[in-house]
Amino acid sequence: MSVQEKSVAGVAVPDTRIAAEATELVRDTTSELIYNHSRRVYWFGSLQGRNRGLSFDPELVYVGAMFHDLGLDERFRGSGRRFEVDSADEARRFLQSRGVPEDSVRRVWTAIALHTTPGIPQFMEPEVALVTAGVEYDVLGIGYDDLSDQERAEVVALHPRPDFKERILRAFTEGIAPRPETTFGNVKADVLEHFVPGFRRGDFVETIRGSAWPE
């Protein structure tokens, strides 16, 4: 059985052309770190969906998971946009070129664009909620005990995470340090504050007080 078809913890990657091509694209264009992380996000998000009794399209969750960090790659670092938007736009182009309906494209774009914006995705469509759930599980450990030790071990056995915490923080830093202004009002400002000397996060209150309005 190929990796593409392998069932882990009772969850399998969709056996579709789109899923296969998404796997190949991400595996060939990004680092092993991001590839393995993205695959784990799919499994952890899907397992959380199963636990929550949600009905969702596995293919859309898979594409959202696979593309969600693509915008960290070096080729996007001069875009001046949030890496989440670069990632979401890549997924949109990928899906539109394959004739996927616009509502499905929108769900994937939204899932990726909002995956670092806590407090909103869980109230949206299941596909949007579960990409974020998978990211939060793998990166932040949110809901860690929602899955069994065996489920967790099976996923990590397929896609290991050696020194993942520090390696993913380095990947975040490298991906967003060239565009520090894009961290205003989002969690990635914390990353640059820790790892980029001289970085000063944007301040919402100062922005209001310093605007062109006289009062």
Side-chain angles (χ1 to χ4, degrees):
M1 180 177 289
S2 70
V3 171
Q4 178 69 24
E5 299 168 336
K6 188 175 180 63
S7 177
V8 174
V11 173
V13 171
D15 185 16
T16 67
R17 178 179 63 89
I18 284 177
E21 291 176 353
T23 302
E24 182 178 9
L25 185 153
V26 175
R27 186 174 54 212
D28 291 348
T29 60
T30 194
S31 66
E32 181 184 19
L33 170 74
I34 296 300
Y35 174 73
N36 283 323
H37 164 55
S38 300
R39 295 268 290 185
R40 290 194 305 271
V41 165
Y42 168 70
W43 263 284
F44 291 143
S46 297
L47 288 167
Q48 290 285 40
R50 187 171 70 185
N51 287 347
R52 298 172 188 179
L54 297 178
S55 176
F56 59 93
D57 185 328
E59 185 177 71
L60 300 185
V61 174
Y62 187 72
V63 173
M66 293 306 291
F67 277 79
H68 83 278
D69 272 347
L70 211 60
L72 293 171
D73 289 354
E74 186 173 358
R75 59 196 162 112
F76 298 107
R77 293 174 188 172
S79 74
R81 302 186 305 171
R82 285 181 62 162
F83 85 92
E84 302 93 330
V85 173
D86 287 330
S87 302
D89 280 356
E90 284 297 295
R92 178 163 59 193
R93 281 189 284 271
F94 172 85
L95 293 172
Q96 286 178 335
S97 71
R98 287 154 178 82
V100 174
E102 279 303 313
D103 180 67
S104 296
V105 174
R106 178 190 57 78
R107 290 185 187 217
V108 172
W109 193 96
T110 304
I112 296 172
L114 291 181
H115 82 266
T116 60
T117 304
I120 294 175
Q122 66 262 40
F123 299 106
M124 301 185 71
E125 296 98 328
E127 294 82 8
V128 178
L130 295 179
V131 170
T132 292
V135 171
E136 290 180 340
Y137 193 95
D138 198 46
V139 177
L140 300 169
I142 293 175
Y144 188 78
D145 292 327
D146 293 346
L147 307 185
S148 70
D149 292 343
Q150 181 176 344
E151 289 171 332
R152 196 181 311 115
E154 287 185 30
V155 174
V156 173
L158 181 64
H159 292 291
R161 37 178 295 148
D163 196 28
F164 176 71
K165 292 179 180 180
E166 295 307 316
R167 291 173 70 209
I168 197 64
L169 285 171
R170 283 197 297 273
F172 290 154
T173 304
E174 291 168 358
I176 59 181
R179 37 184 164 172
E181 69 284 352
T182 66
T183 66
F184 177 66
N186 69 77
V187 296
K188 290 300 187 287
D190 296 340
V191 175
L192 297 193
E193 193 165 60
H194 275 269
F195 297 108
V196 176
F199 170 75
R200 185 173 183 270
R201 66 170 64 233
D203 186 293
F204 183 63
V205 174
E206 289 182 1
T207 300
I208 292 173
R209 288 174 170 168
S211 81
W213 286 102
E215 59 183 32

